[in-house]
Structures are given as C-alpha cells and as structure tokens.
Amino acid sequence: MSEVSLSQIARHFLFLGSTTLGGGVVAHVRERVVERLGWMDDEEFLVALEISQTLPGLNAVNLSIVVGEKLRGSTGAALASVCMVLPGALILSVLGALTVHHADDPHLRLALGGVAASACGLLLTTTLRVGEKQLRSRQLVLVILTVLATSVWKVPLPLLLATLGPLSVWLARPRA
Amino acid sequence: MHPLLSIVGVFGGLSLLAVGGGAAVLPQMQREMLAHGWVDRAQFAELYSLGQLAPGPNMTMVLLLGYHAAGVAGGVTALLAFLTPSSLLTLLVCKLWRRAAQSRWRLAVQQGLAPLTIGLMLSGVWAIARTAVRTPVQWMLALLVAGLVAKTRINPALLVLGGGLLALVLGP
C-alpha cells in the first residue's frame, strides 16, 4: 500500500468527527478505515481497538491516535485525533454560547430539561449494554462495590482505582 | 492559583483516570466541578447532555465546563488538558509496545478494569439523574429513551433531541 497522505488523514477523520453522532464511533471508524479505505486489515484494527480501550482516555480519540500513528507516525496520530474532535468542539461551542445567552428563557430551560433526562436514559442503556457480561458474572460484586464506593461512600476516584483496580486485575489475571 | 492552572490540573488528572472511556470519570468530574464552584449540579447535567447533541466523542463537552469556569480560554484549556495526557500515553504505548495487544496481561487489565468502568458509569447515571430526572415528564422521557435505545436502532442523538422537543410540548 502506498503511503497515505496527511491531507487524506485529515479529510477522512474530519468526516468521521462530524458524522458519528450518538455514539457508535468505533463501528464508523472500522467501516471507513478497514472496509472502505483498506488502511488496516481486521486484525490490525482489533489490535488498535484493544490498545485504545485498555488505556485511559476517550476511546474514539485513542483509536484515532493508534490508526494515525500506524499510517504516518506521530504527525498522523496528532492530525487524526484533532480532526476527530474538532467538528464536535465547534458545534458544541455554538450550542454552549446559545444556551449561555438565553439561559433564562423558560422554553429553553424546559427543552434542556428534556434533553438532560433523555441523555440520562441513553447513558443507562449504554451502560447496561456495555456491561452485560460484567453484570451477569461474579464481577457483579466489583460493579456494586464501585457504585457504593463512588456514590455512597464518596471515595475519590484515584484512591478507588489504586485499591480496587489492582485487586480486580489480579482476579482476572492470566492463568497458566 | 490562576484559574487556567486549576483547569489544567483538574482535567489533566481526569484524563488519566478515564479508564474504559470518558463516561467513567463523570462522577469524579462532577464532584470536582462542584468543589471548585465552576458549575452547579443542574448545569453539569445540562452540559453533559448537550454533549450528546454534537458529533464526535460526547465528552468533548468538557469544553463547556471549562468555558463556565474561565471563559473561552478556560474552554480550550479544559479540552486540551482532558485530551493530551491520555493521548500522549496512547501514542507512547503504540510506539514502544505494539505487542501489548497480544499480551495476556493486557487482557487481564482490560477485563479487570471493566467492572470498575461499569460501576463508575452507573454512578455517572446517578450523578446526572439526581438533578436531571425529577419531574414526572422527565421520568417518562428518561425511561422512554432508555427503552427505545435498547429496543430500536434509532440514532440516540435524535432520541435525545426528540426528548427536548417533547419536554417543550408537554410543559413542566
């Protein structure tokens, strides 16, 4: 495969950043990068996805970095991730400015209340779907402990990750 | 401390704590926003939900949290601080450790952190719901959207937008 140009990376990641609405970024990236453009094969993409999901940070941004890095090194990584985030950031700036300037409008308050309640329902279903495996196995104990620690006992996140994190990884350790 | 430095500290820290994706840091993010007095609970829920209406990663909404804390410079700073540390880490791992993906310990890390991520996301739902789901109409909308997302393939962003319009029509 001939080298992918930086402008191609920019174009395709700007497209992805402006069209992936309502989650499902991973599927969109895969469709474009693997199926349409052939920049990666399935196995390479799986590796990229696994790295992105294991490390901290936003999955979509991490995935852009791994794909961009493979294509054009650090420059490609920086370009791909910036292009993934930029369109949404611009649109959010406009939305944010509008809501700040009309913050007292009762109609806007009502609509935003509905948006927030709906977003909450969305996050609930997303969580149950992503966590289906964990919620149906012995790991449920760890899920419940995390909820209690966070919402009831108000344990700071760094402390939680430093204690429950290693324990949970140890429980999932590779067995010979 | 200069407000922009506080923003760098808060969002830079959250960046490296975002195990399994951005939604995992919602509870801690809300806590820190309230502690700094940058937004109140209701504003936090509202800004989070605005993030669902824009394309790209939802958590780009940290831009708006930073804006409320310190204007335009605050917004840009928050977004960069939230994305840079985790991105540099990913780039580094990519370069140094391509075999990481095949390592059995990588799998253990991913599988081990998964229940924590799910627990943190559930706590995130609770953190948002405490202020965003209170009136009967809001309860109805939250459950309706949760059900539709589970049972249909309608784009969730459209459902969230529709929820806003429905709330407008139904009134308080």
Side-chain angles (χ1 to χ4, degrees), chain A residues 17-22 47 50-51 53-62 65-66 69-70 73-74 77 84-85 87-89 91-93 95-96 99-100 107 109-131 133-135 139 142-143 146-147 150-151 154-158 160-161 164-165 168-170 172-176, chain B residues 15-23 25-28 31 45-46 48-57 59-61 63-64 67-68 79 82-83 86-87 89-91 93-95 98 101-102 104-106 108-116 118-126 128-129 132-133 138 141-142 145-146 149-150 155-157 160 163-164 167-168 171-172:
Chain A
S18 46
T19 51
T20 51
L21 192 59
V47 169
E50 285 171 345
I51 293 179
Q53 290 177 337
T54 308
L55 296 172
L58 310 184
N59 290 337
V61 174
N62 283 354
I65 286 169
V66 184
E69 200 276 333
K70 190 241 166 186
S74 304
M84 175 60 91
V85 172
I91 289 172
L92 267 179
S93 307
L95 282 179
T99 51
V100 167
H107 296 298
R109 299 250 55 80
L110 213 51
L112 287 178
V115 166
S118 308
C120 200
L122 167 62
L123 183 60
L124 177 64
T125 302
T126 306
T127 306
L128 296 180
R129 186 177 286 163
V130 175
K133 201 172 126 201
Q134 286 73 35
L135 295 169
Q139 284 194 319
L142 292 161
V143 175
T146 305
V147 172
T150 307
S151 294
K154 312 285 180 201
V155 177
L157 183 54
L160 176 83
L161 290 180
L164 212 48
S168 187
V169 170
W170 177 249
R173 71 189 176 278
R175 322 272 169 147
Chain B
S15 177
L16 293 174
L17 297 172
V19 294
V25 284
L26 272 180
Q28 181 73 14
R31 204 177 291 167
E46 190 173 299
Y48 168 73
S49 60
L50 279 182
Q52 311 294 322
L53 296 177
M59 295 301 283
T60 306
M61 66 89 187
L63 181 78
L64 302 177
Y67 177 79
H68 277 258
L79 186 60
F82 189 57
L83 297 180
S86 59
S87 296
L89 180 66
T90 302
L91 187 60
V93 169
C94 237
K95 287 197 178 298
R98 249 194 204 291
Q102 275 93 39
R104 295 184 333 150
W105 273 99
R106 187 208 57 78
V109 169
Q110 192 177 349
Q111 287 178 348
L113 291 180
L116 274 62
I118 299 305
L120 290 167
M121 287 173 75
L122 286 174
S123 288
V125 174
W126 170 240
I128 304 289
V133 187
Q138 288 168 345
L141 287 173
V145 171
V149 173
N155 188 318
V160 171
L168 196 57

Side-chain angles (χ1 to χ4, degrees), chain A residues 29-117:
Chain A
V29 175
R30 190 190 164 280
E31 190 274 328
R32 187 151 282 260
V33 167
V34 177
E35 290 178 14
R36 191 184 295 245
L37 300 167
W39 285 353
M40 276 185 164
D41 61 30
D42 262 316
E43 198 168 332
E44 285 174 313
F45 186 79
L46 202 62
V47 169
L49 187 61
E50 285 171 345
I51 293 179
S52 325
Q53 290 177 337
T54 308
L55 296 172
L58 310 184
N59 290 337
V61 174
N62 283 354
L63 189 57
S64 309
I65 286 169
V66 184
V67 175
E69 200 276 333
K70 190 241 166 186
L71 297 171
R72 290 295 299 265
S74 304
T75 317
L79 190 62
S81 52
V82 167
C83 290
M84 175 60 91
V85 172
L86 198 59
L90 292 177
I91 289 172
L92 267 179
S93 307
V94 175
L95 282 179
L98 284 177
T99 51
V100 167
H101 285 291
H102 301 276
D104 298 324
D105 183 312
H107 296 298
L108 184 71
R109 299 250 55 80
L110 213 51
L112 287 178
V115 166

